[in-house]
Amino acid sequence: MIQVANPVYDAVFKYLMEDERIARTILSALLKKEIVEVEIRRNEYSNGTRNNISMFRIDFGAKVREADGSLHLILIELQKTWLETETLRFRQYLSAQYANPENMVKEDFRPRYAIPMVAVYILGHRVGNIEEPVLYVHHKSYNYEGQEVTKGLPDPFVDSLTHDSIIVQLPLLHGQINNHLDQVLSVFDQTHLEKDNPHVINLNEDNYADSEDMQYILHRLKMAASNVDMRQEMNVEDEFFSAIEDRDTAIMQRDKKIKAQDQQLQTLKRFLKAKGMSESDIEKMLQ
């Protein structure tokens, strides 16, 4: 067994994904396609509004090789969050990418079009009752009769206005390694946490003996675990989330108290009304 830094932490995740080889390994596994080149785009790192939620985002430009050997450029917007949040936050980031003129391409003899985009969500929480740890959401095109349209597709105009999504639910990773993606995501598996130390994940190194790419990932995560500054950054994140939990607990208790008081008030109003008091008299008495 080896101990590595927990990549769920923003600081560790950033340290992991800024390595080009590791970014190619993880994104290739998620997309199930060979990523030949990948680079972090300008304004790469972004933390969501800290007083509400930690939402970490990295934008990549990736050159992907398709099954027929062709190469094309795509955008990958990777967003990671520990806590549940409104989908509006994710949509706001997506809308910024759609509106960014740098994400448009101009080719000879054809109008400008947007670079195809894939949104990847790494979530520290579950989505409803979906039981799949990794969910692929692909867009398709249909005619009026509901038949799938394939002729002429993919098309730059269509791809400019729609995008695919990949949703990873970390709580549903339970130590099973059945394929390459499971192997890659296993470093995020929170069931392997060191007891009383969420900064560290314990992994069986034998599970990665057949993959040089995974051994490279483990090496970088071991370096992160031994880095004093990295451990301090994880402590800061712990303090931040502790403050959020305390705030949310206070809000829940306040809302519960308000709800109980409202129920008591409604019960009193019904009682007084049954005694023959008018609505106006009841309101005056309760003011």
Side-chain angles (χ1 to χ4, degrees):
M1 301 296 292
I2 59 171
Q3 291 189 331
V4 301
N6 187 353
V8 166
Y9 283 87
D10 290 353
V12 181
F13 187 71
K14 173 179 178 291
Y15 179 72
L16 193 66
M17 297 302 293
E18 67 185 5
D19 183 284
E20 193 267 347
R21 177 178 175 179
I22 292 175
R24 277 194 294 109
T25 299
I26 293 177
L27 296 175
S28 293
L30 284 167
L31 270 65
K32 297 188 289 186
K33 295 182 179 181
E34 180 188 358
I35 294 180
V36 180
E37 297 177 13
V38 64
E39 64 176 359
I40 297 174
R41 293 172 63 81
R42 289 194 310 123
N43 303 318
E44 65 275 40
Y45 305 119
S46 175
N47 288 78
T49 307
R50 276 286 185 175
N51 62 347
N52 288 318
I53 191 71
S54 174
M55 184 183 293
F56 192 80
R57 182 190 68 179
I58 310 179
D59 300 327
F60 296 94
K63 187 176 292 185
V64 177
R65 191 190 307 279
E66 297 293 346
D68 61 2
S70 62
L71 296 174
H72 65 98
L73 179 66
I74 67 170
L75 299 178
I76 302 174
E77 180 164 303
L78 191 155
Q79 299 184 49
K80 179 186 71 68
T81 179
W82 271 24
L83 305 176
E84 292 191 50
T85 184
E86 296 177 356
T87 55
L88 176 61
R89 295 184 182 277
F90 294 120
R91 288 172 64 90
Q92 287 172 336
Y93 288 134
L94 288 171
S95 64
Q97 292 303 311
Y98 273 108
N100 189 348
E102 293 185 2
N103 295 335
M104 302 292 289
V105 174
K106 179 68 171 71
E107 292 185 352
D108 294 337
F109 310 113
R110 65 191 307 173
R112 289 167 61 87
Y113 63 89
I115 302 172
M117 180 169 62
V118 178
V120 179
Y121 306 100
I122 298 180
L123 308 178
H125 61 86
R126 292 193 58 174
V127 177
N129 295 318
I130 300 173
E131 296 182 353
E132 295 295 328
V134 183
L135 187 69
Y136 290 85
V137 183
H138 296 300
H139 68 270
K140 293 185 177 181
S141 301
Y142 302 89
N143 62 16
Y144 182 76
E145 285 75 26
Q147 299 169 326
E148 185 178 351
V149 176
T150 58
K151 185 177 180 180
L153 297 174
D155 178 82
F157 180 84
V158 176
D159 291 340
S160 294
L161 301 174
T162 56
H163 68 271
D164 293 338
S165 299
I166 303 171
I167 300 171
V168 180
Q169 301 183 82
L170 296 183
L172 296 182
L173 301 177
H174 298 306
Q176 299 296 321
I177 299 180
N178 300 312
N179 52 52
H180 179 55
L181 179 58
D182 287 344
Q183 188 182 52
V184 169
L185 292 180
S186 64
V187 300
F188 294 89
D189 191 342
Q190 300 302 289
T191 62
H192 298 315
L193 283 179
E194 171 75 3
K195 185 178 180 181
D196 301 323
N197 185 5
H199 296 178
V200 174
I201 287 182
N202 296 311
L203 297 174
N204 185 345
E205 197 168 13
D206 292 340
N207 291 333
Y208 312 97
D210 62 342
S211 173
E212 291 185 4
D213 287 333
M214 288 305 303
Q215 292 177 35
Y216 185 80
I217 290 175
L218 295 183
H219 175 70
R220 191 161 178 86
L221 286 175
K222 284 192 288 186
M223 290 175 58
S226 62
N227 185 290
V228 175
D229 293 335
M230 190 72 65
R231 292 201 300 268
Q232 178 57 32
E233 289 190 52
M234 287 191 279
N235 285 330
V236 170
E237 289 186 48
D238 285 336
E239 293 173 3
F240 165 68
F241 282 107
S242 177
I244 284 184
E245 289 175 357
D246 291 344
R247 183 204 63 183
D248 289 347
T249 299
I251 291 174
M252 289 175 61
Q253 291 175 342
R254 182 202 64 189
D255 291 346
K256 184 177 180 180
K257 182 177 180 181
I258 291 174
K259 184 177 180 180
Q261 291 174 339
D262 183 65
Q263 291 175 341
Q264 292 173 356
L265 183 61
Q266 295 303 321
T267 300
L268 178 59
K269 284 183 177 181
R270 288 194 294 270
F271 173 78
L272 295 175
K273 194 171 184 179
K275 291 295 185 179
M277 289 186 65
S278 66
E279 288 282 353
S280 59
D281 289 339
I282 293 174
E283 293 300 329
K284 289 179 181 178
M285 185 186 74
L286 295 176
Q287 287 180 351

